[in-house]
Amino acid sequence: MTEAQAPYARIAAELRGRIERGELRPGDRVPSTRAITQRWGVAMATASKVLALLGQEGLVRAVPGVGTVVAARAAAGGPGRRTAAEDDTAQRARIVRAAVAIADAEGLAALTMRRLGAELGVSAMSLYRHVSSKEQLVVLMADAVFGEQTLPERPPPHWRERLELSAALQWRLYRDHPWLAGAMNLSRPLLIPNGIRHIDWALAALDGLGLDDDTRMHAAVTLFGYVRGHAVDLQPETDAARTSGVSGQEWMRVQETRLAALVDGGAFPAFAAARMGSALSPESLLHHGLTTLLDGLATRITTPPN
């Protein structure tokens, strides 16, 4: 593990190590989300991702009225030992976790099989027993991070609120994993179950509104592509901030003098007038476009929602 890993991955690795060393035994409580935020100084969302990741690995489980505890695991060599297929699945999950951590910290370009093998302490060639190529690895990574996002079992009642929530959840994923948007391609989409789940959720929101199947599918995929399109700039901005030490906001402030020289001479009067009353940001652009998209979709609806 390296210091460049995402905070949730580093914390999960520390707790995973304690479990594997027997310091935390089956039935023992693991730190709660609140305890994680206090001990490691991270946000509640990061703490939730720690426990979610350990839960996906089968290391912990939630017990009502108790909290999150170490899951019971069969003793090595006992009747409940894992099959070869289960071992392969577990090893593949470990590979994917490490790959996501590298991509989160340094971008997808930094992820090579050699680098990944070094991170895991194995040869690059041994990884190919579990993943056939880097391309397949990226597909597994994308599916894994989309799986981090749990869609509510009881969605908002109104179609618009539901699509707004879907967009917000997707945007959060792209912010947490800046490489993800660049790995997606609507012309040759990644066929990942957890990604399709978002499309399915949006389609269900538009059911019963008088829209034909083609319109509903176009609307759902357009929404997915719209959020992804805005997120494509996140990795270049992350890379630029990391290499230069200058944030996007700081860069814009430095450019203000040059921008003023371009527009204050009267060559662009409409631009000059409008920029005085506007405050652009990735989030403001996302929300403005989303509002416009949903306003347009609302005009196509012929059956009022219940």
Side-chain angles (χ1 to χ4, degrees):
M1 299 294 175
T2 69
E3 291 185 354
Q5 284 183 316
Y8 80 91
R10 294 201 303 270
I11 299 168
E14 182 173 334
L15 293 175
R16 187 184 304 114
R18 293 182 61 190
I19 293 171
E20 292 173 350
R21 292 190 298 270
E23 297 173 13
L24 289 171
R25 302 178 62 82
D28 287 349
R29 289 187 61 183
V30 298
S32 64
T33 53
R34 184 173 299 278
I36 291 173
T37 63
Q38 294 173 345
R39 176 172 177 179
W40 281 278
V42 296
M44 188 66 73
T46 299
S48 297
K49 287 174 66 174
V50 171
L51 297 184
L53 179 58
L54 294 175
Q56 291 169 8
E57 296 171 11
L59 295 176
V60 301
R61 63 188 181 90
V63 178
V66 176
T68 303
V69 303
V70 178
R73 293 177 295 168
R81 64 186 178 189
R82 293 189 302 199
T83 65
E86 290 171 333
D87 282 333
D88 181 69
T89 299
Q91 183 63 17
R92 181 179 296 170
R94 178 170 174 256
I95 291 170
V96 170
R97 288 195 306 271
V100 169
I102 292 172
D104 284 351
E106 302 174 45
L108 203 57
L111 176 63
T112 64
M113 300 304 273
R114 184 184 298 275
R115 168 70 188 282
L116 182 57
E119 187 77 12
L120 292 169
V122 299
S123 69
M125 291 305 297
S126 70
L127 300 176
Y128 290 104
R129 293 198 296 266
H130 306 284
V131 292
S132 61
S133 63
K134 182 180 175 180
E135 288 72 23
Q136 186 204 15
L137 176 60
V138 172
V139 171
L140 294 171
M141 291 164 60
D143 193 45
V145 297
F146 267 100
E148 294 173 2
Q149 197 65 265
T150 302
L151 293 168
E153 293 183 5
R154 294 184 178 181
H158 195 276
W159 68 268
R160 184 167 186 137
E161 294 174 343
R162 187 164 177 172
L163 295 188
E164 288 172 340
L165 177 58
S166 177
L169 293 175
Q170 291 172 50
W171 179 250
R172 187 182 305 165
L173 275 180
Y174 291 126
R175 292 302 299 259
D176 289 344
H177 307 284
W179 56 269
L180 179 59
M184 311 290 287
N185 185 333
L186 290 186
S187 296
R188 298 188 180 190
L190 301 182
L191 301 180
I192 53 176
N194 287 317
I196 295 174
R197 185 170 292 111
H198 275 269
I199 302 293
D200 185 77
W201 207 68
L203 286 169
L206 298 172
D207 193 21
L209 299 178
L211 302 174
D212 59 53
D213 290 343
D214 185 61
T215 299
R216 288 170 58 232
M217 182 61 77
H218 273 82
V221 176
T222 296
L223 176 67
F224 191 93
Y226 170 75
V227 180
R228 179 256 177 187
H230 269 277
V232 165
D233 286 339
L234 293 175
Q235 185 64 66
E237 167 56 25
T238 300
D239 292 341
R242 182 174 60 246
T243 56
S244 69
V246 178
S247 70
Q249 291 181 335
E250 291 170 335
W251 185 89
M252 284 300 299
R253 285 197 292 269
V254 172
Q255 303 303 314
E256 184 61 31
T257 300
R258 181 167 179 264
L259 179 60
L262 286 173
V263 302
D264 290 350
F268 310 104
F271 184 91
R275 85 180 185 97
M276 298 304 294
S278 66
L280 299 180
S281 70
E283 284 75 17
S284 71
L285 290 168
L286 176 75
H287 294 152
H288 177 83
L290 178 62
T291 298
T292 303
L293 190 157
L294 297 181
D295 284 348
L297 182 59
T299 67
R300 307 286 296 273
I301 292 174
T302 59
T303 303
N306 294 329

